[in-house]
Amino acid sequence: MSSATPQPPSARRVTYAYALLGLTMLIWSSAFAGIRVALRELSPLELTTARMVIAAAGAAVLGLTLGVRAPARRDYPAVIVAGISGFALYHTALNFGLTEVSAGQASFLIATTPLWTALFATRILHERLGRWGALGILVSVAGVAVMSLGPSDLSVGVGSLLALFAAACAGVNITLQKGLLERYSPIDVSVHATLAGTLPFLPVSYTHLRAH
């Protein structure tokens, strides 16, 4: 008995998906300037902890409201690594990096995420990146560089390396979440990855509360 052939998504679902991606990029693009402002009052670790605790609280409410499905035991490593890489490491590295580099340079370095994602996806998910896909990614990153960098931004240091490390962590997160989405809904993956990424910050938040 042959298995059913997967049906391609409808045009309406594809349009909806692109609209959500566009909204995500709009919100994401405003984060760099916002982080620079927040870092005037908070340390990088305090800012990351605050963001993650708030995100985890929202994810917990969402999970309890919608009744998300728990991951299978075999998927625990992927969920945990996705959460740690995409939330704990990404935000911590980016916040520390933004204390050393401008928002424009950080946004350019984070824009290398598609390159890291493509690299990890070919190794982990065995996806193939065509010649046109590779060219498109390179052109996109070059365009972001032209728009984001000024003459005074062309410096390489610890901050740049931290931002680049954050981009690589985001690539790991996207790749692992893509694999998880074959078995779980987007809400399931988002809730569990967010909660997993918040776990390292619970001791920090507890210590901060006791100190105050």
Side-chain angles (χ1 to χ4, degrees):
M1 183 176 178
S2 60
S3 59
T5 303
Q7 297 297 316
S10 64
R12 182 177 180 181
R13 287 179 63 87
V14 171
T15 302
Y16 181 64
Y18 276 112
L20 289 178
L21 288 173
L23 178 61
T24 301
M25 292 182 66
L26 179 63
I27 297 172
W28 170 81
S29 63
S30 66
F32 302 99
I35 291 171
R36 291 276 294 189
V37 173
L39 287 172
R40 297 173 184 172
E41 304 295 333
L42 299 171
S43 71
L45 188 57
E46 288 174 338
L47 178 58
T48 306
T49 301
R51 294 183 68 183
M52 290 309 307
V53 170
I54 293 172
V61 171
L62 186 64
L64 292 173
T65 302
L66 299 180
V68 296
R69 184 161 61 99
R73 183 172 298 180
R74 67 185 178 93
D75 291 321
Y76 283 178
V79 171
I80 292 172
V81 174
I84 297 297
S85 61
F87 295 98
L89 293 178
Y90 171 83
H91 289 296
T92 301
L94 178 59
N95 289 346
F96 275 99
L98 277 169
T99 63
E100 302 290 337
V101 300
S102 67
Q105 187 174 1
S107 65
F108 162 64
L109 294 169
I110 295 297
T112 62
T113 297
L115 297 175
W116 295 104
T117 304
L119 176 63
F120 295 137
T122 56
R123 302 289 295 181
I124 299 174
L125 302 178
H126 306 293
E127 294 184 355
R128 295 185 61 185
L129 182 64
R131 190 175 302 173
W132 287 108
L135 179 62
I137 290 175
L138 292 175
V139 170
S140 298
V141 173
V144 172
V146 171
M147 292 184 292
S148 299
L149 295 181
S152 62
D153 292 324
L154 299 176
S155 59
V156 178
V158 175
S160 299
L161 294 177
L162 285 171
L164 194 61
F165 175 70
C169 290
V172 173
N173 170 267
I174 293 170
T175 302
L176 293 177
Q177 287 197 115
K178 180 64 169 64
L180 291 168
L181 286 170
E182 296 177 358
R183 298 182 291 279
Y184 304 97
S185 73
I187 296 296
D188 293 339
V189 175
S190 297
V191 168
H192 294 307
T194 301
L195 294 176
T198 306
L199 291 177
F201 299 100
L202 293 182
V204 178
S205 59
Y206 176 74
T207 303
H208 185 75
L209 288 173
R210 287 199 63 182
H212 291 75

